[in-house]
Amino acid sequence: MNTANFLDCKMNLKSFDYIIVGAGSAGCVLANRLSENPAIKVALIEAGGIDRHFFVQTPAAFSKLFKTKRDWAFETTPQTGLNNQKMFSPRGKMLGGCSSMNAMIYTRPHPLDMEAWCKFGVQGFEWESCLPYLIRAEQQMGFYHDETGAYSNEPMYIHPLTEQFVQATHEFGWPINKSSSSIQKGSQFFLKNIRNGKRFSVVDAYLQPIADRKNLIIINHSQVGKLLLNKNEVTGIEFFQKNKLQQLHCNREIILCAGAFQSPQLLMLSGIGNSLELETHGIQTILDLITVGKHLKDHLICGMAFRLKKGIQSLDSLNQLVPAVTSLVQYLRNKTGPMCSNIAEAGAFINTKGNSDRPDLEYHFGPAFFIQHGFIQPKPHGISFGPTLLHPKSQGAVQLQSNNPLDAPVINPNYYQDESDLQLMVEGLKITREISKQKVWEQTIDAIEFPAYEARSDDDYIKHLRQYSQTLYHPTGTCRMSALEDGVVDSEFKVKGIANLRIADASVIPTTISSNTQATVLMLAEKLAAQMI
C-alpha cells in the first residue's frame, strides 16, 4: 500500500482534495471509493501503524491486542451503575481500526432500526435506501447472497460446545437460523469476516486491492490534534508526527472517521461544541454546538460462566502450553483448528416482550471462559454466554479532559442509569440460566462458575450485573445524525454550521441498532461515498 512517512514522502503533500481522519472501518471504505477517480487526491491519516501482526490476523487472538500499542485502551469514568468501576473500552489504533481488533461478527442492522432513524427527521435512510449499500459492503468483504442476506463459503471453525449451545436454545423453544448477515428471531452461528482462516478486515477488503493508486496516500503514526478553520469553514488539519506539529490542507472536504469517542473530541478541540465546556479548557468557541459529544449509548453484555465436567475441553485449552502449541502448529501449517475461532461463535436475537420483530436482547456464546474482556481466566474448562442490552435507555457523554489533543477524552456512558435497562438484563440472565439447564447440557455442564452462587432473587442477578457487565465495544451517537436540534450532522453527514466538514462513523448513528455495529458503519461509509462521487 502507498503508506508514507509525511516527512519523507516525495509526493506533493501540500494539499489534498479530501482528507480522511481515521483509517478505521469507515475511513478505509471512503479512501477506496473517493480515490477511484485518479484526478482526485486523497489523504488517509491514521494515529496508529500498520495492522500486519499475528494477533491481528489470527481470529482467536483478538483479545491479546487489548492494552497493547494497537489499542487506544480507553477507560470510562467510574460508573455508579457498575459499583463505581471504570469500564475498559478498547479501540483499534492501527490501519483498519476496530475492524482489525474486533471479534469479526458481521450482522446487518434490523429494518426496524432504520425506521427508528426516521424519527430524527433524517432523509434517505429507510431500509430500502440502505440495503443496496449493505449489499455493496458485503460484496466487497467477499460474502455471498441469497434471500436471507449475506453468507460465507468459508468453512468456519465451530467448537462442539457451540453446537450444543445452539441445540440448547432450540430445546428452549427458539428457532435455529442459517448463518447470515440478517437478524432473525432465534439462534444462529454468527457470520464472520474470516477468510482462509484469517481475519479479513477492511484493510484486506478495501485498501489492499488499491495498493497501486498514486492519488491515495496513507499517513501512519500521525495523530490529528485539531481542525484548521477560517471562520466557519474547515481548511485543513493539524497533527503530530515524530513529536513535531504538522499541517495538511484540503481543497474540498475533510471527513472525520475517528469513532464515537474521538470524532466529538476533535470537534471540541477545534472549537466546535458547548461553549461553556470549551471555555473551561481555554478553547475559543468557533461554533456553539451543544450536542457534540452527547447522546452516547453503548451495548452492555453480561455473561454467566459454567464449569464443564471433567474430561470435557473448551477453547480454554488455548491457554494451556501443550494444546496451545499443538493448535499453533496446526494454524501455521494450514490455517485450520481452534485458532480460527472468533471465540463468540454463535448467538441469538430475541424480543423478550414478544411485541416486535425488533430484538431487545442479543446473546453471544463462547466455548471458553470469557470474563471481563478475557482478563479473568479461571482454571480450565468452561463456557460463557449471556445477554446484550441492544437498546439502552441510559445515555452519557464524551467530554474533554483538557485542551491537550494527546490526552484521552472523558468518557461517561452512565451505564444502568435507567432502571429499566437493569431489569431487562435481569430477565436476560434468567433466560441464560434456563438455557443452561436444557437436556443437551446434562453430560457437559458441571456447575455454575460466575456468579459464584445460584441466584435466588432479582437482587442476586443485579449484584452480578453491576460487578461483571462489560461493554460489547459498540459506542454510538456522540455526533448524532438528526434534522432536529439534537443533531450534529445532517442527512448528508455534514456538520451543521461548518462548511467542508463531514463525519462518517458510529458517532453519527442516531439511536442504537439491534446488532454488532461493523456492517452498519460500512454501510454508512458506502452511502456517503456514493453521495460524493
Side-chain angles (χ1 to χ4, degrees), residues 304-344:
M304 300 178 78
F306 302 90
R307 181 160 296 282
L308 303 179
K309 292 186 176 182
K310 187 175 181 179
I312 300 177
Q313 295 194 346
S314 69
L315 285 182
D316 291 323
S317 60
L318 293 177
N319 296 320
Q320 297 176 297
L321 181 59
V322 174
V325 171
T326 301
S327 297
L328 177 61
V329 171
Q330 180 182 2
Y331 186 74
L332 293 175
R333 281 179 175 172
N334 52 31
K335 296 298 183 290
T336 61
M339 297 191 79
C340 295
S341 172
N342 75 321
I343 310 301

Side-chain angles (χ1 to χ4, degrees), residues 456-469:
R456 298 181 182 275
S457 66
D458 285 4
D459 286 343
D460 288 338
Y461 283 115
I462 289 172
K463 183 178 180 180
H464 179 63
L465 287 166
R466 292 197 187 282
Q467 186 62 34
Y468 290 106
S469 292

Side-chain angles (χ1 to χ4, degrees), residues 462-492:
I462 289 172
K463 183 178 180 180
H464 179 63
L465 287 166
R466 292 197 187 282
Q467 186 62 34
Y468 290 106
S469 292
Q470 67 172 67
T471 173
L472 197 63
Y473 323 120
H474 298 161
T476 61
T478 51
C479 295
R480 174 182 279 178
M481 179 184 289
S482 175
L484 310 177
E485 292 183 358
D486 62 355
V488 174
V489 301
D490 62 19
S491 300
E492 295 182 325

Side-chain angles (χ1 to χ4, degrees), residues 301-307 363-366 368-371 382-387 425-437 445 447-455 460-461 464-465 468:
I301 184 171
C302 187
M304 300 178 78
F306 302 90
R307 181 160 296 282
Y363 282 78
H364 293 75
F365 174 85
F369 282 128
F370 196 88
I371 303 162
I383 57 174
S384 307
F385 62 98
M425 287 292 277
V426 167
E427 180 66 21
L429 287 180
K430 289 178 179 178
I431 294 171
T432 302
R433 191 66 181 106
E434 289 303 309
I435 292 172
S436 74
K437 295 176 180 178
I445 292 177
I448 190 168
E449 182 84 6
F450 277 89
Y453 52 87
E454 192 69 58
D460 288 338
Y461 283 115
H464 179 63
L465 287 166
Y468 290 106

Side-chain angles (χ1 to χ4, degrees), residues 31 90 98 112 157 174 210 262 274 287 323 389 422-423 475 479 515 521:
C98 292
L112 291 177
Y157 176 88
W174 295 347
I210 60 169
Q262 288 160 292
N274 187 328
L287 177 66
L389 182 67
L422 206 56
Q423 293 304 319
C479 295
S515 65
V521 171

